[in-house]
Amino acid sequence: MAETFRIQTLNAISPLGLQRLDRERFDIGTEFTDPRAILLRSADLHSYEVPPSLYAVARAGAGTNNIPVDALAARGIPVFNTPGANANAVKELVIAGLLLAARNLYHAADYTKDLVAEHQLSGKELDKQVEAGKKQFAGFELPGRTLGVIGLGAIGVLVANAAQAMGMRVLGYDPAITIERAWQLSPSVEQVTSVEELFARSDFITLHVPLIDGTRGLVNAARIASMPQGSVVLNFARGGVVDEDAVIAALDSGHLHAYVNDFPTEAGAVHPKVITLPHLGASTSEAEDNCAVMAVDQLSDFLLHGNIRNSVNFPEVVMARSPGTTRLGIFNENKPNMIGQITGVLGDAGLNVTEFTNKARGDYAYTLVDVEGDVAPELKEQILAIDGIVRARRIEG
């Protein structure tokens, strides 16, 4: 009888995603002690005691800072994310941030509200103060201004194209841009070869990169100083990619016009030139649905067929199922002669291999193999006994 996979949800997941799971093969709950998979959004797994039963983790979102990715890789547990599923939601928020900063809308709205709520003005007196005060919020228009986009992934490309369509000059920087994203990028977007050039030429900077050692503090005092007077920094990526102390110093000196971000801090929340939002990047019903659907589909495909798509710690490995065969999914350290040893064990058992694929990523690799006939438990144990094998499982159809 085919296994029923227990999926533990650690956050509220859109029903549009959960309903895609066949309830004859999947059991969904919040209190399992031995789940086969975890489905989450922002729950912190760093202090979570991973049970031996766990096969996979899927995040309905792009960032995985809340998940111990490397530690799970060492146990043969892929971590899935959903790149691009919330891209439009973030793009719209970035465009809103551009307009908020350029037209001083955030503080202008507060000013108007205070006239009524705090000063209790009305009628002609309110009209008089509105006219008298509006000049302090005079802003500037976006066409002709230069936007620098750091990171040309799913979100960065959408932001760059939208800003270009609004009449802005757009510079892009991403040394690792994929062919797919390059094709999607407007030909009017100029790709520069260094972060320093992008800062020096941009009136606005927007960041769309993960928080890793190489991006921590990417926006620093020296790079801010190279920007034109009255520039704006937007951060809808991760809080740590910006040195907030350096930004606040530049705001206080008047060198920066505004800092718009999605990561509140005590200092930023009260600063008059900071517009800080409560992590709204993917907070739309559409984005939550898209992320849930994508996460569920990837998780289901892995549990049922062993395929890996959009994993942050293992390579993409997708193989069509050979009819009438038994499939094995094998995680191993990325070192010589692993394939030879695996196929040797299968050959010694008299099993004919009909399909085989192996890919590596960093320190680990993943193999899918379809064989004619059944795979006895002792054969799996022989594979696990190979030095460098991390995990192996028989995948039922």
Side-chain angles (χ1 to χ4, degrees):
M1 182 176 178
E3 178 182 1
T4 298
F5 296 100
R6 294 172 299 280
I7 298 180
Q8 183 177 14
T9 58
L10 299 185
N11 298 106
I13 304 297
S14 165
L16 198 65
L18 296 179
Q19 70 186 18
R20 298 172 72 87
L21 293 168
D22 181 354
R23 294 310 173 93
E24 292 186 1
R25 295 302 309 275
F26 298 98
D27 189 9
I28 305 166
T30 61
E31 302 297 332
F32 295 128
T33 58
D34 57 347
R36 285 301 190 195
I38 289 173
L39 186 57
L40 76 163
R41 292 168 59 201
S42 59
D44 188 354
L45 279 192
H46 287 282
S47 58
Y48 180 85
E49 187 173 344
V50 178
S53 62
L54 194 68
Y55 283 165
V57 173
R59 181 174 189 270
T64 54
N65 296 78
N66 57 319
I67 301 170
V69 172
D70 293 339
L72 292 175
R75 297 179 58 168
I77 300 174
V79 175
F80 300 96
N81 69 342
T82 58
N86 62 4
N88 187 70
V90 179
K91 176 210 73 177
E92 290 185 355
L93 197 59
V94 173
I95 298 302
L98 289 171
L99 294 167
L100 284 170
R103 298 301 300 273
N104 301 308
L105 299 176
Y106 182 86
H107 300 98
D110 274 352
Y111 169 78
T112 305
K113 184 181 296 183
D114 285 347
L115 291 179
V116 176
E118 297 296 326
H119 301 286
Q120 299 183 341
L121 300 183
S122 62
K124 292 183 178 180
E125 187 61 29
L126 175 60
D127 293 342
K128 180 180 177 181
Q129 286 302 119
V130 165
E131 291 302 315
K134 71 178 185 181
K135 59 179 177 289
Q136 64 184 298
F137 303 109
F140 52 87
E141 298 180 20
L142 297 179
R145 306 276 175 170
T146 300
L147 172 67
V149 182
I150 301 177
L152 295 170
I155 297 170
V157 166
L158 289 181
V159 170
N161 290 349
Q164 191 275 327
M166 294 170 65
M168 300 187 77
R169 292 190 295 268
V170 182
L171 309 177
Y173 175 78
D174 190 339
I177 186 172
T178 66
I179 294 174
E180 178 186 6
R181 299 305 177 201
W183 276 107
Q184 294 169 349
L185 189 65
S186 167
S188 298
V189 175
E190 178 186 350
Q191 294 192 56
V192 300
T193 58
S194 73
V195 173
E196 282 67 30
E197 179 185 359
L198 185 135
F199 272 86
R201 294 176 55 191
S202 298
D203 302 302
F204 294 80
I205 292 284
T206 181
L207 303 148
H208 302 288
V209 295
L211 179 59
I212 57 177
D213 289 342
T215 61
R216 189 175 298 277
L218 188 151
V219 179
N220 56 33
R223 287 170 173 158
I224 293 169
S226 74
M227 297 180 72
Q229 182 76 18
S231 298
V232 175
V233 173
L234 302 102
N235 179 17
F236 291 91
R238 286 291 183 269
V241 301
V242 171
D243 180 345
E244 190 178 71
D245 291 340
V247 167
I248 288 178
L251 293 170
D252 290 340
S253 72
H255 185 71
L256 284 182
H257 172 71
Y259 174 45
V260 188
N261 72 93
D262 210 19
F263 311 100
T265 64
E266 292 181 12
V270 298
H271 196 283
K273 293 184 179 180
V274 174
I275 300 171
T276 188
L277 305 174
H279 206 188
L280 296 179
S283 294
T284 67
S285 57
E286 293 87 351
E288 291 182 5
D289 288 344
N290 292 341
C291 288
V293 166
M294 191 171 178
V296 163
D297 285 353
Q298 292 168 173
L299 193 58
S300 173
D301 195 23
F302 173 72
L303 293 174
L304 295 177
H305 306 295
N307 292 323
I308 292 181
R309 307 174 194 263
N310 291 321
S311 169
V312 298
N313 56 356
F314 283 99
E316 180 161 315
V317 178
V318 178
M319 189 172 77
R321 198 75 177 259
S322 299
T325 60
T326 300
R327 171 163 288 190
L328 293 172
I330 303 167
F331 296 90
N332 59 271
E333 296 174 6
N334 184 17
K335 60 184 187 179
N337 198 34
M338 296 303 300
I339 294 175
Q341 293 183 81
I342 293 169
T343 55
V345 170
L346 297 174
D348 291 344
L351 293 174
N352 182 45
V353 175
T354 60
E355 295 288 343
F356 185 101
T357 185
N358 171 278
K359 290 184 181 179
R361 177 177 178 176
D363 294 332
Y364 298 97
Y366 181 59
T367 298
L368 279 180
V369 55
D370 288 349
V371 298
E372 293 179 345
D374 198 8
V375 175
E378 54 267 26
L379 181 63
K380 176 183 168 183
E381 292 304 316
Q382 291 178 41
I383 293 173
L384 287 170
I386 298 172
D387 182 39
I389 297 293
V390 177
R391 191 169 206 168
R393 72 180 180 105
R394 181 184 182 278
I395 302 167
E396 300 176 2

